[in-house]
mmCIF file of all heavy atoms in Angstrom:
data_model
loop_
_atom_site.group_PDB
_atom_site.id
_atom_site.type_symbol
_atom_site.label_atom_id
_atom_site.label_comp_id
_atom_site.label_asym_id
_atom_site.label_seq_id
_atom_site.Cartn_x
_atom_site.Cartn_y
_atom_site.Cartn_z
ATOM 1 N N ASP A 568 -14.775 14.735 -3.506
ATOM 2 C CA ASP A 568 -14.365 14.620 -4.913
ATOM 3 C C ASP A 568 -12.925 15.049 -5.155
ATOM 4 O O ASP A 568 -12.398 14.877 -6.250
ATOM 5 C CB ASP A 568 -15.292 15.452 -5.797
ATOM 6 C CG ASP A 568 -15.257 16.937 -5.453
ATOM 7 O OD1 ASP A 568 -14.989 17.276 -4.281
ATOM 8 O OD2 ASP A 568 -15.502 17.764 -6.354
ATOM 9 N N LYS A 569 -12.263 15.561 -4.129
ATOM 10 C CA LYS A 569 -10.885 16.038 -4.285
ATOM 11 C C LYS A 569 -9.845 15.027 -3.792
ATOM 12 O O LYS A 569 -8.647 15.226 -3.962
ATOM 13 C CB LYS A 569 -10.703 17.366 -3.562
ATOM 14 C CG LYS A 569 -11.492 18.515 -4.177
ATOM 15 C CD LYS A 569 -11.257 19.803 -3.410
ATOM 16 C CE LYS A 569 -11.873 20.992 -4.146
ATOM 17 N NZ LYS A 569 -13.338 20.869 -4.292
ATOM 18 N N VAL A 570 -10.286 13.943 -3.157
ATOM 19 C CA VAL A 570 -9.357 12.949 -2.621
ATOM 20 C C VAL A 570 -9.621 11.584 -3.252
ATOM 21 O O VAL A 570 -10.728 11.301 -3.727
ATOM 22 C CB VAL A 570 -9.463 12.836 -1.078
ATOM 23 C CG1 VAL A 570 -9.040 14.132 -0.419
ATOM 24 C CG2 VAL A 570 -10.874 12.450 -0.646
ATOM 25 N N VAL A 571 -8.585 10.758 -3.248
ATOM 26 C CA VAL A 571 -8.692 9.386 -3.753
ATOM 27 C C VAL A 571 -8.690 8.468 -2.534
ATOM 28 O O VAL A 571 -7.706 8.407 -1.788
ATOM 29 C CB VAL A 571 -7.518 9.042 -4.687
ATOM 30 C CG1 VAL A 571 -7.617 7.592 -5.156
ATOM 31 C CG2 VAL A 571 -7.495 9.993 -5.885
ATOM 32 N N ILE A 572 -9.804 7.789 -2.319
ATOM 33 C CA ILE A 572 -9.952 6.910 -1.156
ATOM 34 C C ILE A 572 -9.876 5.451 -1.600
ATOM 35 O O ILE A 572 -10.604 5.020 -2.507
ATOM 36 C CB ILE A 572 -11.272 7.180 -0.422
ATOM 37 C CG1 ILE A 572 -11.222 8.569 0.247
ATOM 38 C CG2 ILE A 572 -11.554 6.096 0.617
ATOM 39 C CD1 ILE A 572 -12.493 8.952 0.970
ATOM 40 N N ALA A 573 -8.986 4.725 -0.949
ATOM 41 C CA ALA A 573 -8.832 3.291 -1.209
ATOM 42 C C ALA A 573 -9.122 2.524 0.068
ATOM 43 O O ALA A 573 -8.687 2.924 1.152
ATOM 44 C CB ALA A 573 -7.417 2.989 -1.680
ATOM 45 N N THR A 574 -9.851 1.435 -0.053
ATOM 46 C CA THR A 574 -10.057 0.566 1.095
ATOM 47 C C THR A 574 -9.954 -0.888 0.635
ATOM 48 O O THR A 574 -9.758 -1.166 -0.551
ATOM 49 C CB THR A 574 -11.392 0.863 1.804
ATOM 50 O OG1 THR A 574 -11.424 0.159 3.054
ATOM 51 C CG2 THR A 574 -12.592 0.464 0.961
ATOM 52 N N LYS A 575 -10.066 -1.800 1.577
ATOM 53 C CA LYS A 575 -9.818 -3.213 1.274
ATOM 54 C C LYS A 575 -10.905 -4.083 1.875
ATOM 55 O O LYS A 575 -11.577 -3.698 2.832
ATOM 56 C CB LYS A 575 -8.449 -3.640 1.828
ATOM 57 C CG LYS A 575 -7.299 -2.730 1.425
ATOM 58 C CD LYS A 575 -5.971 -3.231 1.975
ATOM 59 C CE LYS A 575 -4.909 -2.164 1.878
ATOM 60 N NZ LYS A 575 -5.072 -1.113 2.903
ATOM 61 N N VAL A 576 -11.016 -5.303 1.314
ATOM 62 C CA VAL A 576 -12.065 -6.225 1.718
ATOM 63 C C VAL A 576 -11.526 -7.652 1.683
ATOM 64 O O VAL A 576 -10.561 -7.942 0.980
ATOM 65 C CB VAL A 576 -13.290 -6.088 0.778
ATOM 66 C CG1 VAL A 576 -12.934 -6.546 -0.645
ATOM 67 C CG2 VAL A 576 -14.496 -6.865 1.297
ATOM 68 N N GLY A 577 -12.147 -8.552 2.434
ATOM 69 C CA GLY A 577 -11.779 -9.967 2.400
ATOM 70 C C GLY A 577 -11.584 -10.579 3.770
ATOM 71 O O GLY A 577 -11.635 -11.801 3.915
ATOM 72 N N ASN A 578 -11.355 -9.735 4.766
ATOM 73 C CA ASN A 578 -11.195 -10.232 6.133
ATOM 74 C C ASN A 578 -12.470 -9.951 6.917
ATOM 75 O O ASN A 578 -12.803 -8.795 7.190
ATOM 76 C CB ASN A 578 -9.990 -9.565 6.813
ATOM 77 C CG ASN A 578 -8.682 -9.964 6.152
ATOM 78 O OD1 ASN A 578 -8.277 -11.114 6.199
ATOM 79 N ND2 ASN A 578 -8.028 -9.011 5.511
ATOM 80 N N GLN A 579 -13.173 -10.998 7.269
ATOM 81 C CA GLN A 579 -14.478 -10.863 7.915
ATOM 82 C C GLN A 579 -14.362 -11.092 9.420
ATOM 83 O O GLN A 579 -13.944 -12.158 9.873
ATOM 84 C CB GLN A 579 -15.455 -11.874 7.320
ATOM 85 C CG GLN A 579 -16.863 -11.773 7.873
ATOM 86 C CD GLN A 579 -17.817 -12.736 7.191
ATOM 87 O OE1 GLN A 579 -17.388 -13.694 6.532
ATOM 88 N NE2 GLN A 579 -19.106 -12.487 7.328
ATOM 89 N N TRP A 580 -14.739 -10.074 10.178
ATOM 90 C CA TRP A 580 -14.682 -10.208 11.634
ATOM 91 C C TRP A 580 -15.679 -11.257 12.116
ATOM 92 O O TRP A 580 -16.811 -11.322 11.620
ATOM 93 C CB TRP A 580 -15.002 -8.873 12.314
ATOM 94 C CG TRP A 580 -13.839 -7.928 12.336
ATOM 95 C CD1 TRP A 580 -13.604 -6.884 11.495
ATOM 96 C CD2 TRP A 580 -12.744 -7.959 13.257
ATOM 97 N NE1 TRP A 580 -12.425 -6.250 11.828
ATOM 98 C CE2 TRP A 580 -11.868 -6.893 12.908
ATOM 99 C CE3 TRP A 580 -12.398 -8.770 14.344
ATOM 100 C CZ2 TRP A 580 -10.694 -6.629 13.592
ATOM 101 C CZ3 TRP A 580 -11.225 -8.508 15.029
ATOM 102 C CH2 TRP A 580 -10.387 -7.452 14.660
ATOM 103 N N ARG A 581 -15.252 -12.073 13.068
ATOM 104 C CA ARG A 581 -16.158 -13.047 13.668
ATOM 105 C C ARG A 581 -17.179 -12.324 14.535
ATOM 106 O O ARG A 581 -16.905 -11.249 15.075
ATOM 107 C CB ARG A 581 -15.380 -14.055 14.523
ATOM 108 C CG ARG A 581 -14.322 -14.811 13.741
ATOM 109 C CD ARG A 581 -13.673 -15.907 14.568
ATOM 110 N NE ARG A 581 -12.511 -16.447 13.878
ATOM 111 C CZ ARG A 581 -11.250 -16.263 14.267
ATOM 112 N NH1 ARG A 581 -10.987 -15.583 15.372
ATOM 113 N NH2 ARG A 581 -10.251 -16.776 13.577
ATOM 114 N N SER A 582 -18.327 -12.920 14.680
ATOM 115 C CA SER A 582 -19.416 -12.272 15.414
ATOM 116 C C SER A 582 -19.066 -11.995 16.867
ATOM 117 O O SER A 582 -19.567 -11.047 17.468
ATOM 118 C CB SER A 582 -20.680 -13.142 15.349
ATOM 119 O OG SER A 582 -20.418 -14.448 15.849
ATOM 120 N N ASP A 583 -18.164 -12.812 17.441
ATOM 121 C CA ASP A 583 -17.791 -12.591 18.842
ATOM 122 C C ASP A 583 -16.610 -11.621 18.982
ATOM 123 O O ASP A 583 -16.142 -11.346 20.085
ATOM 124 C CB ASP A 583 -17.456 -13.916 19.538
ATOM 125 C CG ASP A 583 -16.261 -14.635 18.909
ATOM 126 O OD1 ASP A 583 -15.642 -14.093 17.968
ATOM 127 O OD2 ASP A 583 -15.941 -15.758 19.372
ATOM 128 N N GLY A 584 -16.107 -11.124 17.838
ATOM 129 C CA GLY A 584 -15.033 -10.132 17.881
ATOM 130 C C GLY A 584 -13.666 -10.702 18.202
ATOM 131 O O GLY A 584 -12.710 -9.949 18.422
ATOM 132 N N SER A 585 -13.538 -12.020 18.210
ATOM 133 C CA SER A 585 -12.278 -12.650 18.626
ATOM 134 C C SER A 585 -11.199 -12.636 17.545
ATOM 135 O O SER A 585 -10.046 -12.965 17.803
ATOM 136 C CB SER A 585 -12.536 -14.096 19.056
ATOM 137 O OG SER A 585 -13.012 -14.863 17.965
ATOM 138 N N GLY A 586 -11.553 -12.257 16.358
ATOM 139 C CA GLY A 586 -10.598 -12.274 15.252
ATOM 140 C C GLY A 586 -11.360 -12.255 13.946
ATOM 141 O O GLY A 586 -12.551 -11.911 13.915
ATOM 142 N N TRP A 587 -10.706 -12.636 12.876
ATOM 143 C CA TRP A 587 -11.367 -12.593 11.578
ATOM 144 C C TRP A 587 -11.047 -13.827 10.758
ATOM 145 O O TRP A 587 -10.048 -14.510 10.976
ATOM 146 C CB TRP A 587 -10.988 -11.330 10.820
ATOM 147 C CG TRP A 587 -9.524 -11.183 10.552
ATOM 148 C CD1 TRP A 587 -8.805 -11.692 9.494
ATOM 149 C CD2 TRP A 587 -8.563 -10.491 11.349
ATOM 150 N NE1 TRP A 587 -7.486 -11.361 9.586
ATOM 151 C CE2 TRP A 587 -7.298 -10.609 10.723
ATOM 152 C CE3 TRP A 587 -8.646 -9.759 12.549
ATOM 153 C CZ2 TRP A 587 -6.139 -10.053 11.244
ATOM 154 C CZ3 TRP A 587 -7.494 -9.197 13.061
ATOM 155 C CH2 TRP A 587 -6.258 -9.346 12.407
ATOM 156 N N ASN A 588 -11.896 -14.092 9.786
ATOM 157 C CA ASN A 588 -11.708 -15.199 8.850
ATOM 158 C C ASN A 588 -11.559 -14.641 7.440
ATOM 159 O O ASN A 588 -12.126 -13.592 7.107
ATOM 160 C CB ASN A 588 -12.908 -16.148 8.896
ATOM 161 C CG ASN A 588 -13.083 -16.790 10.257
ATOM 162 O OD1 ASN A 588 -12.117 -17.223 10.881
ATOM 163 N ND2 ASN A 588 -14.320 -16.849 10.731
ATOM 164 N N TRP A 589 -10.812 -15.345 6.615
ATOM 165 C CA TRP A 589 -10.635 -14.932 5.232
ATOM 166 C C TRP A 589 -11.877 -15.309 4.445
ATOM 167 O O TRP A 589 -12.314 -16.457 4.454
ATOM 168 C CB TRP A 589 -9.400 -15.610 4.653
ATOM 169 C CG TRP A 589 -9.152 -15.312 3.201
ATOM 170 C CD1 TRP A 589 -9.089 -16.203 2.179
ATOM 171 C CD2 TRP A 589 -8.929 -14.025 2.624
ATOM 172 N NE1 TRP A 589 -8.834 -15.557 0.990
ATOM 173 C CE2 TRP A 589 -8.730 -14.216 1.237
ATOM 174 C CE3 TRP A 589 -8.873 -12.726 3.141
ATOM 175 C CZ2 TRP A 589 -8.493 -13.160 0.365
ATOM 176 C CZ3 TRP A 589 -8.638 -11.675 2.277
ATOM 177 C CH2 TRP A 589 -8.440 -11.899 0.903
ATOM 178 N N ASN A 590 -12.450 -14.329 3.754
ATOM 179 C CA ASN A 590 -13.671 -14.584 3.001
ATOM 180 C C ASN A 590 -13.674 -13.745 1.719
ATOM 181 O O ASN A 590 -14.128 -12.604 1.710
ATOM 182 C CB ASN A 590 -14.908 -14.250 3.837
ATOM 183 C CG ASN A 590 -16.196 -14.689 3.149
ATOM 184 O OD1 ASN A 590 -16.189 -15.097 1.984
ATOM 185 N ND2 ASN A 590 -17.305 -14.613 3.872
ATOM 186 N N PRO A 591 -13.179 -14.312 0.609
ATOM 187 C CA PRO A 591 -13.155 -13.589 -0.664
ATOM 188 C C PRO A 591 -14.350 -13.914 -1.563
ATOM 189 O O PRO A 591 -14.286 -13.721 -2.774
ATOM 190 C CB PRO A 591 -11.860 -14.087 -1.301
ATOM 191 C CG PRO A 591 -11.799 -15.531 -0.864
ATOM 192 C CD PRO A 591 -12.444 -15.594 0.506
ATOM 193 N N SER A 592 -15.427 -14.414 -0.970
ATOM 194 C CA SER A 592 -16.580 -14.815 -1.767
ATOM 195 C C SER A 592 -17.302 -13.597 -2.346
ATOM 196 O O SER A 592 -17.256 -12.493 -1.788
ATOM 197 C CB SER A 592 -17.566 -15.620 -0.917
ATOM 198 O OG SER A 592 -18.165 -14.791 0.070
ATOM 199 N N LYS A 593 -17.980 -13.816 -3.441
ATOM 200 C CA LYS A 593 -18.725 -12.737 -4.088
ATOM 201 C C LYS A 593 -19.796 -12.174 -3.160
ATOM 202 O O LYS A 593 -19.945 -10.949 -3.029
ATOM 203 C CB LYS A 593 -19.363 -13.240 -5.380
ATOM 204 C CG LYS A 593 -20.150 -12.181 -6.135
ATOM 205 C CD LYS A 593 -20.704 -12.731 -7.442
ATOM 206 C CE LYS A 593 -21.474 -11.659 -8.209
ATOM 207 N NZ LYS A 593 -22.005 -12.173 -9.500
#
Side-chain angles (χ1 to χ4, degrees):
D568 61 332
K569 293 180 171 62
V570 296
V571 178
I572 291 178
T574 191
K575 309 182 194 76
V576 66
N578 294 294
Q579 183 176 17
W580 280 99
R581 302 186 190 110
S582 56
D583 62 3
S585 63
W587 60 86
N588 298 317
W589 177 240
N590 188 351
S592 68
K593 181 177 181 179

